[in-house]
Amino acid sequence: MKPFSFFLRFLTIAGSSLLIISGDTVTAEPKPEQSALPSLFLPGPVPNDKGAWNVKNLGPVGIGMDLKSPDLTMVVSNVEKGSPAELTGKFKIGQVIESINGQTLAGRAARETLGDIITEAEATDGKMSFKIQGEGDVVVTIPVMGRYSKTWPLNCPKSDKIVRNLADLLAKREKPTWGSVIFMLSTGEEKDLEVVRGWMDDVQIGSKSINWHRGYMSYGVCEYYLRTGDAKVLPMIKEACDELKKNIYNGGWGARDVPAHFTYSTGSGQVHASGAHCLNLLLMARLCGVEVDNDTLQEALTQFYRFAGHGNVAYGEGTPEGGFRDNGKTSAMALGMTAAALLTPDGEKSVYAKARDNSSMKAFYATNWFHAAHTGGGMGEIWHHTAVSQMHEKRPIPYRSYMDTRRWLMDLSRRFDGSIGIGGMTDRYDVSVTESDMDFGTFFALTYTLPRKHLQLFGAPRSKFAKNYQLPPRPWGNAADDQFHSIEPLDDSLLSMKDLLNENVPDDASLAVITRLADPKTPDTVVMKYLHHPEYDLRVEAIKAVVNRGKYELIIPLLESDDPRLRNLGILSITGMFKGKGIPNDQLKPEIISLVERIIENKEESWWVTIDAISALGRFDKAIIAKHRDRLLDLMDHRECTYTKTAAIKTLALICAEPDQYKILLPRLVDATMKIWNNASAQTLTSEIGKALSTASPEVKAFAESVVKKAYNGIPDQLIAKSGAVLNRASQTMRIYTTEMLKHTPGGSEFIRFLPKKTFKFGLSSDEKDMYVYKNFVPAPQFVGKWRLLTGRWEITIPDDLLGKTIVQANKEIEAQKQLSGRSAYRPNYLILEDGGTVQRDTNRFWSGDMLVHNNEVEARRMEARKLDGIDYLLVERGGFPDEPDPKAGYGWWIYIKEP
């Protein structure tokens, strides 16, 4: 392969700044200045927002505020009892604050301004003057703390006071909270360790706990053992690991003690925001010398390690996610890689140490996306801080920039009583120790203590109680994949190590880079630089810019590169990338196709590059895909990589109904798909095979019918993970997806129509005679018509008075929605039942008598026609009938109104 620098030497890009080349030296133009932004942290309050932004706590002052448009007027939203604000007797909910110490928020970075006002007051006289509309000036006095030092939180009296205040508050508690143990150990003070000793009898992370709880609390328990050697906690650690063994599924865990609902969220039954910490528990337990089931450890280690260097840890068992909003999952995984590096004898020379550094630095680049993720994102702020803290010595300038640009957040997060939340934006995680035992904010307080290096995970001298354990030299991928973990510039780069060591948040974090690369005025040389950046998602933004600018001449040199990361970018230009499209079809030149084919056939190629190359192959002619059929079948059988397996099936599905391929491919593809117990993957793959069958010849469809029926009948009544955990609704879901293939075969639709369907009554009895079996159409004129959905209810019965109240409320909600615009605007949902049993525009449902039958869900739901005050209503069971349900829970009705 040609080195990428070969291409650079001859690169001439019209309209760009000069690229000066002298011998082997490439000099890029200076970094352009970033345009001023109202805030480095998005989303955030800006003038003319549609709604109000709430700042739940104005730090130690003791009030909360709504910031209202158009000019971010401050309105008091709450006053905390016992706080300095409450002691003035002057603050009331609804008051308008015109200024604080003479400052308003109009046109400024509101939250940063509020935090800076607190910081300045604590550094001087502690006085904060609030000008309240109609009330005049009210002065609140907060404790003087001094200024943050230039090296804070180290060698910083203010930081030390904050730490001591929280530690003294925690010491008064009889029992530990989620974050209290790890925080007290992190201070390094003997008196705090003694408090922890007293708590250990009350810590519970074993069978009486849940995965969220045991994952979060296990850090403290394991670090306590490694600090003290107190063996009384080892049985508890062992019990927690045994619980994880019971409910692991495909290398991950649900949020609680069993795999989550098979179709939960991304359809994996996994919640990696909690599961990553479960892996870390297993690794830390092993470091403590606790026996851990090896299969469980290896399975989980492989699951999470494969995300490193490839984007964000996914929500569940899926491929890595793009962008920078990740709820802290990637940073949590980085802690796991830290534990793995401490555990395995290779230590800092291991692949785990490199995966740790790359994943930790991602938190620096992600800093702009604030409280931005599923459920609010506040927990992400915790783990981003811990990840960046791991790099404070290797990347001191980026670390300092990260801390200083977030200083306002730390002061805004503090409460007047010394506890700490996660401030700046209201979500469920902004809670301190005096507000909840699930005190996420106490973890956030580790920001002040981690650089003290009193914890094993954060640089403490190796504990004499720590044990080694040989982990796999590489749990996923091959030697080429290791390069994705580097935190150095790619070879032959416009980017230097000096550039990386001097990165700062305003210029070099993701928001600045994305803005810069999206600007058509940015020189092409800058785009070239970011193609060589060690952060995967910045490289993705750069290749997106290449495609958007039509610089298609770059693609061949990328595909020819010796570096797998650059070859990956060349492939992404074909497949498309996160929020970006691939090159147009007319640019799929023969040389590009040939290079992708070479990558596919190269058995030494990086797994990650191969996965994307399989997808790229799917854009080519079917004849080209067919040339690589045997290689794709080998990749489909890849035991160690489900990503490769699913990519191969999806691409082979494009030719699985071809006359010269179907007898070989259909049986193998269908069989392989049935073994992929992942909701999202199964849904995609069965849909792709079904799509191919929909246009197949009668001969192919006839052949496919027996293949798919065999697969359908082979689905067991329960899908059970290797751990023994039963996967809730998995069997039913796999049957649903199999019908997506079956309905395109000659007798498939009739086969599905006459299958016994679950009913609510069957759910209660589990007696097969209570299942619905279609025999022929039974007319029921009262159900024929166009029905508009009003709302859903969870009651078992809907009496007329409740129906009336429901309708009134539903109509109010609909009218409110009609006033909105965009995605949230009201869009009516119709159920149109036609005479003869069909459902208009829906081939997956039919009706007969009083039953609405869902073929793809293998359920029959009872309907009831009701007339109230001259209006016709239709009630339809909501469905989703589990086996042996509680008749008082999980049951309800959809309520429709008849339209002309």
Side-chain angles (χ1 to χ4, degrees):
M1 295 183 179
K2 300 176 184 177
F4 194 59
S5 59
F6 177 83
F7 175 73
L8 287 177
R9 293 175 183 275
F10 296 95
L11 178 64
T12 303
I13 303 178
S16 69
S17 298
L18 290 176
L19 187 63
I20 304 170
I21 302 175
S22 176
D24 288 338
T25 303
V26 180
T27 305
E29 66 164 28
K31 181 187 303 181
E33 291 186 8
Q34 181 192 351
S35 59
L37 294 168
S39 173
L40 291 173
F41 303 95
L42 302 177
V46 293
N48 299 311
D49 269 340
K50 287 185 178 180
W53 286 78
N54 181 257
V55 176
K56 175 183 169 185
N57 294 91
L58 185 60
V61 175
I63 63 169
M65 297 189 303
D66 288 326
L67 309 182
K68 295 189 175 183
S69 290
D71 55 0
L72 300 183
T73 299
M74 297 172 278
V75 180
V76 177
S77 61
N78 63 282
V79 183
E80 298 173 58
K81 291 185 178 180
S83 67
E86 198 247 358
L87 292 176
T88 67
K90 300 291 187 179
F91 287 91
K92 297 177 182 178
I93 294 175
Q95 289 174 322
V96 174
I97 298 172
E98 296 180 341
S99 65
I100 307 175
N101 286 354
Q103 297 188 54
T104 66
L105 304 183
R108 309 186 65 181
R111 294 171 303 201
E112 293 94 311
T113 298
L114 293 172
D116 288 346
I117 292 172
I118 294 169
T119 302
E120 185 61 25
E122 290 184 331
T124 52
D125 58 3
K127 305 291 186 183
M128 294 181 65
S129 179
F130 292 79
K131 186 176 182 181
I132 300 176
Q133 191 176 83
E135 300 285 341
D137 292 335
V138 176
V139 175
V140 177
T141 302
I142 59 177
V144 174
M145 304 288 283
R147 291 193 182 277
Y148 283 112
S149 71
K150 291 184 179 180
T151 59
W152 78 280
L154 294 177
N155 303 314
C156 176
K158 176 173 179 175
S159 298
D160 293 344
K161 290 177 185 176
I162 293 169
V163 170
R164 191 71 259 144
N165 287 344
L166 177 55
D168 289 345
L169 181 67
L170 293 173
K172 297 175 183 178
R173 298 187 65 92
E174 293 183 1
K175 294 183 179 181
T177 58
W178 275 25
S180 55
V181 175
I182 190 70
F183 179 81
M184 295 294 266
L185 292 171
S186 73
T187 70
E189 297 199 31
E190 188 63 30
K191 63 179 180 180
D192 296 332
L193 175 59
E194 289 305 308
V195 173
V196 173
R197 287 185 196 274
W199 281 341
M200 281 299 109
D201 289 334
D202 292 312
V203 173
Q204 175 56 253
I205 61 173
S207 59
K208 296 180 181 179
S209 185
I210 63 172
N211 288 339
W212 274 112
H213 180 89
R214 64 175 59 98
Y216 269 60
M217 288 204 72
S218 64
Y219 293 108
V221 177
C222 293
E223 289 278 2
Y224 170 76
Y225 171 76
L226 293 168
R227 176 80 61 85
T228 66
D230 186 350
K232 73 180 181 183
V233 301
L234 295 180
M236 174 172 50
I237 297 173
K238 171 66 173 168
E239 182 184 356
C241 293
D242 289 344
E243 289 299 313
L244 294 180
K245 176 186 174 182
K246 292 178 185 177
N247 62 71
I248 189 172
Y249 161 51
N250 283 2
W253 291 269
R256 299 186 179 272
D257 284 340
V258 294
H261 196 294
F262 187 72
T263 57
Y264 176 70
S265 186
T266 54
S268 67
Q270 298 177 353
V271 183
H272 285 343
S274 62
H277 302 287
C278 294
L279 166 65
N280 300 352
L281 163 56
L282 296 175
L283 292 164
M284 290 292 286
R286 247 314 175 182
L287 190 64
C288 293
V290 172
E291 286 293 322
V292 173
D293 178 70
N294 188 62
D295 289 343
T296 301
L297 177 59
Q298 303 293 351
E299 190 180 346
L301 185 61
T302 299
Q303 167 74 280
F304 287 95
Y305 173 86
R306 61 186 180 163
F307 291 112
H310 302 134
N312 290 317
V313 173
Y315 193 97
E317 190 203 359
T319 53
E321 296 172 354
F324 295 90
R325 307 182 187 204
D326 78 329
N327 228 341
K329 300 185 298 293
T330 307
S331 297
M333 181 267 290
L335 290 186
M337 297 303 102
T338 303
L342 290 172
L343 181 60
T344 197
D346 292 340
E348 288 300 303
K349 296 180 180 179
S350 69
V351 295
Y352 305 104
K354 294 179 176 62
R356 171 202 63 204
D357 291 347
N358 184 284
S359 301
S360 293
M361 276 306 296
K362 190 174 187 71
F364 167 83
Y365 301 110
T367 187
N368 307 112
W369 311 103
F370 182 71
H371 278 254
H374 180 61
T375 73
M379 77 171 79
E381 306 309 322
I382 297 171
W383 304 113
H384 290 161
H385 281 220
T386 60
V388 171
S389 293
Q390 292 205 320
M391 300 298 292
H392 80 279
E393 292 180 329
K394 290 186 178 182
R395 290 286 196 271
I397 293 175
Y399 168 77
R400 176 51 43 204
S401 177
Y402 182 94
M403 293 293 287
D404 288 344
T405 54
R406 281 175 164 253
R407 184 187 62 197
W408 64 271
L409 171 59
M410 301 312 299
D411 281 343
L412 213 57
S413 298
R414 291 163 39 225
R415 312 298 203 238
F416 74 90
D417 60 5
S419 62
I420 294 179
I422 310 173
M425 196 163 168
T426 301
D427 69 21
R428 68 177 69 179
Y429 308 108
D430 182 15
V431 287
S432 76
V433 69
T434 50
E435 297 162 348
S436 172
D437 285 347
M438 294 189 293
D439 52 334
F440 290 95
T442 304
F443 286 98
F444 201 44
L446 292 169
T447 304
Y448 290 106
T449 56
L450 293 179
R452 297 183 178 190
K453 297 167 65 170
H454 294 300
L455 299 173
Q456 294 291 298
L457 285 175
F458 293 91
R462 187 174 178 85
S463 166
K464 64 181 180 180
F465 305 109
K467 306 294 191 299
N468 280 341
Y469 182 75
Q470 183 63 60
L471 295 173
R474 183 185 298 110
W476 187 91
N478 58 23
D481 285 295
D482 295 347
Q483 296 187 53
F484 284 87
H485 298 153
S486 173
I487 59 171
E488 298 181 1
L490 279 66
D491 291 341
D492 300 310
S493 172
L494 298 177
L495 189 69
S496 70
M497 195 65 204
K498 182 179 178 181
D499 292 330
L500 294 178
L501 291 173
N502 285 282
E503 286 183 324
N504 62 75
V505 169
D507 292 323
D508 303 299
S510 55
L511 179 60
V513 176
I514 292 170
T515 303
R516 191 176 299 138
L517 292 176
D519 185 350
K521 296 179 182 178
T522 297
D524 291 325
T525 50
V526 175
V527 178
M528 295 290 292
K529 181 178 73 172
Y530 283 104
L531 289 173
H532 292 78
H533 200 284
E535 166 50 41
Y536 174 83
D537 279 300
L538 293 185
R539 296 198 302 271
V540 170
E541 290 297 324
I543 193 62
K544 185 192 302 182
V546 167
V547 174
N548 289 343
R549 292 173 181 223
K551 302 297 180 183
Y552 306 133
E553 64 270 26
L554 284 173
I555 295 170
I556 289 174
L558 287 169
L559 292 171
E560 290 179 326
S561 172
D562 289 331
D563 193 308
R565 292 166 291 181
L566 292 176
R567 296 197 296 276
N568 176 245
L569 293 180
I571 294 293
L572 290 181
S573 74
I574 301 169
T575 63
M577 64 298 295
F578 179 70
K579 294 188 177 181
K581 296 180 180 180
I583 60 177
N585 289 335
D586 62 7
Q587 292 298 319
L588 294 174
K589 308 295 187 183
E591 191 172 0
I592 288 178
I593 294 172
S594 177
L595 288 168
V596 174
E597 290 185 278
R598 187 166 72 181
I599 288 173
I600 290 285
E601 293 295 335
N602 180 9
K603 295 183 180 180
E604 302 302 316
E605 180 60 90
S606 147
W607 291 11
W608 185 248
V609 176
T610 300
I611 291 161
D612 284 333
I614 296 170
S615 298
L617 191 63
R619 285 198 63 185
F620 305 157
D621 290 339
K622 291 181 179 181
I624 296 174
I625 299 173
K627 283 170 53 181
H628 303 280
R629 183 196 68 188
D630 292 342
R631 172 63 174 154
L632 292 179
L633 286 172
D634 287 342
L635 291 167
M636 187 182 77
D637 293 335
H638 202 305
R639 293 184 178 181
E640 299 177 88
C641 184
T642 56
Y643 297 163
T644 304
K645 185 186 297 288
T646 53
I649 297 172
K650 186 174 180 181
T651 296
L652 284 171
L654 296 171
I655 63 169
C656 73
E658 294 301 296
D660 57 342
Q661 300 291 341
Y662 73 93
K663 288 184 180 179
I664 294 173
L665 289 181
L666 277 174
R668 293 191 63 174
L669 265 59
V670 171
D671 180 65
T673 299
M674 292 298 97
K675 294 175 181 176
I676 295 178
W677 290 359
N678 174 288
N679 174 57
S681 296
Q683 184 177 29
T684 297
L685 298 177
T686 52
S687 175
E688 290 297 320
I689 296 171
K691 190 185 302 181
L693 291 176
S694 68
T695 57
S697 68
E699 179 184 2
V700 173
K701 289 184 176 184
F703 178 85
E705 182 174 347
S706 61
V707 172
V708 181
K709 278 184 179 179
K710 179 181 177 181
Y712 185 96
N713 291 325
I715 298 171
D717 290 336
Q718 288 185 328
L719 268 58
I720 302 175
K722 288 190 296 183
S723 62
V726 176
L727 309 181
N728 186 24
R729 286 183 63 83
S731 181
Q732 178 179 344
T733 301
M734 292 299 290
R735 287 194 177 102
I736 291 170
Y737 297 149
T738 308
T739 65
E740 287 299 305
M741 300 182 289
L742 198 53
K743 70 184 182 182
H744 296 296
T745 64
S749 296
E750 287 303 293
F751 174 81
I752 298 166
R753 179 177 289 255
F754 286 95
L755 283 172
K757 308 295 193 297
K758 285 188 176 183
T759 63
F760 176 65
K761 189 175 181 181
F762 169 78
L764 293 176
S765 68
S766 296
D767 190 332
E768 290 188 6
K769 68 178 178 58
D770 289 326
M771 297 183 78
Y772 172 80
V773 179
Y774 176 75
K775 295 178 180 178
N776 49 58
F777 175 65
V778 177
Q782 69 270 30
F783 297 123
V784 175
K786 182 177 182 181
W787 304 91
R788 176 167 55 88
L789 179 66
L790 286 174
T791 189
R793 299 289 300 192
W794 288 105
E795 288 81 5
I796 290 180
T797 59
I798 308 290
D800 283 353
D801 60 339
L802 178 59
L803 179 61
K805 293 176 183 177
T806 299
I807 301 311
V808 171
Q809 181 60 35
N811 283 329
K812 286 182 179 178
E813 294 172 359
I814 289 171
E815 288 304 315
Q817 277 191 297
K818 285 180 178 178
Q819 305 305 314
L820 301 175
S821 60
R823 293 175 62 186
S824 59
Y826 173 67
R827 293 178 177 85
N829 187 322
Y830 291 105
L831 173 65
I832 304 174
L833 304 180
E834 299 176 321
D835 195 13
T838 58
V839 178
Q840 192 177 110
R841 295 193 298 271
D842 191 344
T843 59
N844 289 318
R845 289 188 292 180
F846 67 93
W847 69 277
S848 177
D850 65 349
M851 303 300 282
L852 179 64
V853 183
H854 291 242
N855 278 330
N856 59 343
E857 296 183 14
V858 201
E859 288 189 352
R861 305 178 186 180
R862 190 165 62 87
M863 300 186 293
E864 179 185 335
R866 187 97 56 92
K867 187 180 286 287
L868 182 65
D869 297 330
I871 300 174
D872 289 310
Y873 297 101
L874 177 69
L875 280 65
V876 182
E877 289 178 318
R878 294 184 72 139
F881 307 126
D883 294 333
E884 300 179 4
D886 177 353
K888 295 181 181 179
Y891 181 80
W893 299 84
W894 293 114
I895 302 175
Y896 296 80
I897 188 171
K898 195 168 190 178
E899 291 199 346

mmCIF file of all heavy atoms in Angstrom, residues 617-628 653-658 661 692 695:
data_model
loop_
_atom_site.group_PDB
_atom_site.id
_atom_site.type_symbol
_atom_site.label_atom_id
_atom_site.label_comp_id
_atom_site.label_asym_id
_atom_site.label_seq_id
_atom_site.Cartn_x
_atom_site.Cartn_y
_atom_site.Cartn_z
ATOM 1 N N LEU A 617 -19.130 -2.992 0.499
ATOM 2 C CA LEU A 617 -19.359 -3.947 -0.578
ATOM 3 C C LEU A 617 -20.832 -3.979 -0.982
ATOM 4 O O LEU A 617 -21.182 -4.199 -2.147
ATOM 5 C CB LEU A 617 -18.896 -5.334 -0.136
ATOM 6 C CG LEU A 617 -18.798 -6.429 -1.191
ATOM 7 C CD1 LEU A 617 -17.760 -6.088 -2.248
ATOM 8 C CD2 LEU A 617 -18.458 -7.766 -0.524
ATOM 9 N N GLY A 618 -21.697 -3.721 -0.010
ATOM 10 C CA GLY A 618 -23.127 -3.726 -0.275
ATOM 11 C C GLY A 618 -23.587 -2.642 -1.231
ATOM 12 O O GLY A 618 -24.714 -2.691 -1.722
ATOM 13 N N ARG A 619 -22.728 -1.647 -1.494
ATOM 14 C CA ARG A 619 -23.094 -0.590 -2.448
ATOM 15 C C ARG A 619 -22.752 -0.969 -3.884
ATOM 16 O O ARG A 619 -23.109 -0.256 -4.813
ATOM 17 C CB ARG A 619 -22.372 0.715 -2.101
ATOM 18 C CG ARG A 619 -22.934 1.438 -0.889
ATOM 19 C CD ARG A 619 -22.476 2.885 -0.873
ATOM 20 N NE ARG A 619 -22.972 3.633 -2.017
ATOM 21 C CZ ARG A 619 -22.627 4.901 -2.290
ATOM 22 N NH1 ARG A 619 -21.766 5.532 -1.497
ATOM 23 N NH2 ARG A 619 -23.108 5.511 -3.351
ATOM 24 N N PHE A 620 -22.034 -2.072 -4.064
ATOM 25 C CA PHE A 620 -21.575 -2.434 -5.402
ATOM 26 C C PHE A 620 -22.572 -3.367 -6.085
ATOM 27 O O PHE A 620 -23.534 -3.842 -5.486
ATOM 28 C CB PHE A 620 -20.196 -3.083 -5.335
ATOM 29 C CG PHE A 620 -19.143 -2.256 -4.625
ATOM 30 C CD1 PHE A 620 -18.024 -2.851 -4.064
ATOM 31 C CD2 PHE A 620 -19.273 -0.874 -4.520
ATOM 32 C CE1 PHE A 620 -17.061 -2.101 -3.409
ATOM 33 C CE2 PHE A 620 -18.310 -0.108 -3.865
ATOM 34 C CZ PHE A 620 -17.202 -0.722 -3.309
ATOM 35 N N ASP A 621 -22.335 -3.659 -7.353
ATOM 36 C CA ASP A 621 -23.194 -4.559 -8.117
ATOM 37 C C ASP A 621 -23.248 -5.936 -7.463
ATOM 38 O O ASP A 621 -22.272 -6.398 -6.845
ATOM 39 C CB ASP A 621 -22.676 -4.691 -9.549
ATOM 40 C CG ASP A 621 -22.868 -3.413 -10.356
ATOM 41 O OD1 ASP A 621 -23.731 -2.586 -9.968
ATOM 42 O OD2 ASP A 621 -22.149 -3.254 -11.365
ATOM 43 N N LYS A 622 -24.357 -6.601 -7.660
ATOM 44 C CA LYS A 622 -24.519 -7.931 -7.077
ATOM 45 C C LYS A 622 -23.456 -8.906 -7.561
ATOM 46 O O LYS A 622 -23.031 -9.804 -6.825
ATOM 47 C CB LYS A 622 -25.915 -8.469 -7.390
ATOM 48 C CG LYS A 622 -27.036 -7.738 -6.660
ATOM 49 C CD LYS A 622 -28.398 -8.326 -6.991
ATOM 50 C CE LYS A 622 -29.496 -7.600 -6.221
ATOM 51 N NZ LYS A 622 -30.844 -8.171 -6.519
ATOM 52 N N ALA A 623 -23.004 -8.729 -8.777
ATOM 53 C CA ALA A 623 -21.974 -9.628 -9.308
ATOM 54 C C ALA A 623 -20.675 -9.489 -8.525
ATOM 55 O O ALA A 623 -19.944 -10.476 -8.320
ATOM 56 C CB ALA A 623 -21.733 -9.330 -10.790
ATOM 57 N N ILE A 624 -20.373 -8.283 -8.089
ATOM 58 C CA ILE A 624 -19.156 -8.064 -7.298
ATOM 59 C C ILE A 624 -19.311 -8.696 -5.916
ATOM 60 O O ILE A 624 -18.392 -9.335 -5.402
ATOM 61 C CB ILE A 624 -18.855 -6.558 -7.193
ATOM 62 C CG1 ILE A 624 -18.561 -5.995 -8.581
ATOM 63 C CG2 ILE A 624 -17.689 -6.312 -6.235
ATOM 64 C CD1 ILE A 624 -18.389 -4.500 -8.615
ATOM 65 N N ILE A 625 -20.497 -8.543 -5.305
ATOM 66 C CA ILE A 625 -20.745 -9.187 -4.008
ATOM 67 C C ILE A 625 -20.593 -10.697 -4.144
ATOM 68 O O ILE A 625 -19.965 -11.356 -3.302
ATOM 69 C CB ILE A 625 -22.156 -8.840 -3.489
ATOM 70 C CG1 ILE A 625 -22.308 -7.331 -3.279
ATOM 71 C CG2 ILE A 625 -22.444 -9.581 -2.173
ATOM 72 C CD1 ILE A 625 -23.720 -6.893 -2.930
ATOM 73 N N ALA A 626 -21.138 -11.246 -5.223
ATOM 74 C CA ALA A 626 -21.094 -12.697 -5.426
ATOM 75 C C ALA A 626 -19.662 -13.210 -5.527
ATOM 76 O O ALA A 626 -19.358 -14.333 -5.107
ATOM 77 C CB ALA A 626 -21.888 -13.065 -6.673
ATOM 78 N N LYS A 627 -18.749 -12.416 -6.088
ATOM 79 C CA LYS A 627 -17.350 -12.815 -6.190
ATOM 80 C C LYS A 627 -16.758 -13.128 -4.817
ATOM 81 O O LYS A 627 -15.839 -13.942 -4.694
ATOM 82 C CB LYS A 627 -16.522 -11.698 -6.840
ATOM 83 C CG LYS A 627 -16.663 -11.573 -8.327
ATOM 84 C CD LYS A 627 -15.997 -10.307 -8.830
ATOM 85 C CE LYS A 627 -14.552 -10.176 -8.380
ATOM 86 N NZ LYS A 627 -13.937 -8.925 -8.875
ATOM 87 N N HIS A 628 -17.297 -12.471 -3.788
ATOM 88 C CA HIS A 628 -16.734 -12.592 -2.434
ATOM 89 C C HIS A 628 -17.650 -13.393 -1.502
ATOM 90 O O HIS A 628 -17.523 -13.320 -0.291
ATOM 91 C CB HIS A 628 -16.469 -11.196 -1.867
ATOM 92 C CG HIS A 628 -15.568 -10.377 -2.729
ATOM 93 N ND1 HIS A 628 -14.204 -10.524 -2.729
ATOM 94 C CD2 HIS A 628 -15.854 -9.429 -3.665
ATOM 95 C CE1 HIS A 628 -13.666 -9.687 -3.609
ATOM 96 N NE2 HIS A 628 -14.660 -9.015 -4.185
ATOM 97 N N ALA A 653 -27.425 -10.859 2.133
ATOM 98 C CA ALA A 653 -28.875 -10.835 1.907
ATOM 99 C C ALA A 653 -29.225 -10.163 0.584
ATOM 100 O O ALA A 653 -30.262 -10.458 -0.017
ATOM 101 C CB ALA A 653 -29.576 -10.116 3.062
ATOM 102 N N LEU A 654 -28.348 -9.290 0.112
ATOM 103 C CA LEU A 654 -28.611 -8.592 -1.157
ATOM 104 C C LEU A 654 -28.596 -9.539 -2.349
ATOM 105 O O LEU A 654 -29.180 -9.242 -3.392
ATOM 106 C CB LEU A 654 -27.569 -7.486 -1.358
ATOM 107 C CG LEU A 654 -27.596 -6.350 -0.316
ATOM 108 C CD1 LEU A 654 -26.391 -5.446 -0.493
ATOM 109 C CD2 LEU A 654 -28.880 -5.547 -0.431
ATOM 110 N N ILE A 655 -27.914 -10.682 -2.198
ATOM 111 C CA ILE A 655 -27.859 -11.624 -3.326
ATOM 112 C C ILE A 655 -28.468 -12.981 -2.965
ATOM 113 O O ILE A 655 -28.387 -13.920 -3.763
ATOM 114 C CB ILE A 655 -26.402 -11.832 -3.804
ATOM 115 C CG1 ILE A 655 -25.532 -12.460 -2.693
ATOM 116 C CG2 ILE A 655 -25.801 -10.519 -4.287
ATOM 117 C CD1 ILE A 655 -24.165 -12.936 -3.195
ATOM 118 N N CYS A 656 -29.098 -13.082 -1.795
ATOM 119 C CA CYS A 656 -29.552 -14.391 -1.318
ATOM 120 C C CYS A 656 -30.713 -14.956 -2.130
ATOM 121 O O CYS A 656 -31.003 -16.154 -2.038
ATOM 122 C CB CYS A 656 -29.932 -14.327 0.161
ATOM 123 S SG CYS A 656 -31.471 -13.458 0.513
ATOM 124 N N ALA A 657 -31.406 -14.137 -2.906
ATOM 125 C CA ALA A 657 -32.524 -14.631 -3.716
ATOM 126 C C ALA A 657 -32.163 -14.734 -5.200
ATOM 127 O O ALA A 657 -33.043 -14.980 -6.036
ATOM 128 C CB ALA A 657 -33.736 -13.721 -3.535
ATOM 129 N N GLU A 658 -30.881 -14.570 -5.520
ATOM 130 C CA GLU A 658 -30.457 -14.691 -6.913
ATOM 131 C C GLU A 658 -30.524 -16.157 -7.355
ATOM 132 O O GLU A 658 -30.235 -17.068 -6.566
ATOM 133 C CB GLU A 658 -29.045 -14.145 -7.074
ATOM 134 C CG GLU A 658 -28.923 -12.655 -6.836
ATOM 135 C CD GLU A 658 -29.796 -11.844 -7.774
ATOM 136 O OE1 GLU A 658 -29.557 -11.892 -9.007
ATOM 137 O OE2 GLU A 658 -30.740 -11.177 -7.290
ATOM 138 N N GLN A 661 -27.636 -18.369 -6.420
ATOM 139 C CA GLN A 661 -27.122 -18.242 -5.060
ATOM 140 C C GLN A 661 -28.068 -18.772 -3.979
ATOM 141 O O GLN A 661 -27.630 -19.164 -2.903
ATOM 142 C CB GLN A 661 -26.832 -16.755 -4.744
ATOM 143 C CG GLN A 661 -25.820 -16.086 -5.651
ATOM 144 C CD GLN A 661 -24.413 -16.604 -5.448
ATOM 145 O OE1 GLN A 661 -24.098 -17.205 -4.430
ATOM 146 N NE2 GLN A 661 -23.545 -16.368 -6.431
ATOM 147 N N ALA A 692 -35.321 -9.098 0.071
ATOM 148 C CA ALA A 692 -34.821 -9.834 -1.095
ATOM 149 C C ALA A 692 -35.866 -10.824 -1.604
ATOM 150 O O ALA A 692 -36.062 -10.987 -2.816
ATOM 151 C CB ALA A 692 -33.527 -10.560 -0.731
ATOM 152 N N THR A 695 -39.084 -9.714 -4.010
ATOM 153 C CA THR A 695 -38.997 -9.572 -5.471
ATOM 154 C C THR A 695 -38.404 -10.818 -6.126
ATOM 155 O O THR A 695 -38.014 -10.778 -7.300
ATOM 156 C CB THR A 695 -38.121 -8.348 -5.818
ATOM 157 O OG1 THR A 695 -36.821 -8.502 -5.224
ATOM 158 C CG2 THR A 695 -38.759 -7.065 -5.313
#
